[in-house]
Amino acid sequence: MKWLRTLVLFDRGEVVSSLDWDRIHQSFVRSIESIDSPEGSGKLVLRRKTQDPISKQWNRNGVGYLRSRFLDHMVKIEGWQAEGEVDLQHLEEQPEFHLYPSMEPYSEPITSAFGDFDFVTTTDGGIRVAIEWETGNISSSHRSLNKLSIVLAVLSDNYLVRLTTIILAGKT
């Protein structure tokens, strides 16, 4: 698979100019670029959709296959933890919210867990990184954006959060 670009939406603390960020970036770019199909071919060949004559199930280029190849490389080669937790239940300081239009301070406790991130790691320099893998399913993308938004609001000084959106269009 071909990595196209990384967009920096904001950079609190100039993390992007650090050696740790460079290593993290190289890690997930290598993982994206390691995805090939058929496996070992060095290419990403998109199959036409076909239907199994017996089970009537559709066979196509699967999100599961792409995600599993990315996961395998991230965990086995790059050393990331899969399905890593970001614990927000034990925060001493809750995020500060404001009611609109009065702008009165409002506290909304975080009362439930929202599931693990797809990948987490901590750099040698102490930067904690979380990645969500998304391929366009709207419900899944919505859940991922909610998780990322909460972590950015609550832990943005301590976490670098990356939403990885992979869109397949054309050939590599």
Side-chain angles (χ1 to χ4, degrees):
M1 182 176 290
K2 183 178 179 182
W3 167 82
L4 296 177
R5 69 187 64 81
T6 298
L7 299 175
V8 177
L9 301 179
F10 68 88
D11 183 16
R12 183 176 286 169
E14 298 182 10
V15 170
V16 175
S17 61
S18 72
L19 183 57
D20 274 350
W21 165 253
D22 186 52
R23 289 180 181 147
I24 290 299
H25 184 261
Q26 288 178 29
S27 175
F28 69 76
V29 167
R30 279 191 301 268
S31 295
I32 290 167
E33 291 178 340
S34 76
I35 300 170
D36 59 0
S37 178
E39 192 169 343
S41 69
K43 297 179 181 181
L44 184 60
V45 178
L46 301 179
R47 300 181 311 201
R48 293 187 184 277
K49 182 171 78 169
T50 61
Q51 189 174 32
D52 184 284
I54 297 170
S55 70
K56 303 296 183 199
Q57 293 291 316
W58 288 101
N59 298 314
R60 55 183 80 98
N61 295 291
V63 170
Y65 172 80
L66 299 173
R67 184 182 183 280
S68 70
R69 293 296 311 281
F70 185 72
L71 183 134
D72 283 348
H73 194 273
M74 289 292 281
V75 172
K76 294 175 182 171
I77 306 299
E78 302 295 337
W80 289 57
Q81 176 187 345
E83 301 295 331
E85 181 180 23
V86 175
D87 184 13
L88 299 178
Q89 300 299 322
H90 302 93
L91 289 177
E92 294 178 19
E93 185 178 324
Q94 294 292 321
E96 182 179 315
F97 296 108
H98 294 91
L99 297 173
Y100 184 84
S102 69
M103 298 309 289
E104 292 177 51
Y106 178 77
S107 178
E108 182 75 37
I110 299 170
T111 58
S112 64
F114 51 66
D116 295 340
F117 281 95
D118 290 329
F119 307 98
V120 295
T121 195
T122 302
T123 67
D124 293 339
I127 297 173
R128 297 181 291 173
V129 182
I131 290 181
E132 277 289 279
W133 171 276
E134 282 308 321
T135 52
N137 174 290
I138 193 65
S139 295
S140 179
S141 296
H142 187 264
R143 282 189 300 275
S144 292
L145 287 172
N146 281 340
K147 281 195 279 189
L148 294 166
S149 296
I150 289 170
V151 170
L152 285 171
V154 178
L155 297 175
S156 61
D157 289 336
N158 299 319
Y159 253 87
L160 177 64
V161 181
R162 166 128 175 95
L163 174 66
T164 302
T165 303
I166 306 299
I167 300 172
L168 295 178
K171 300 178 183 177
T172 59

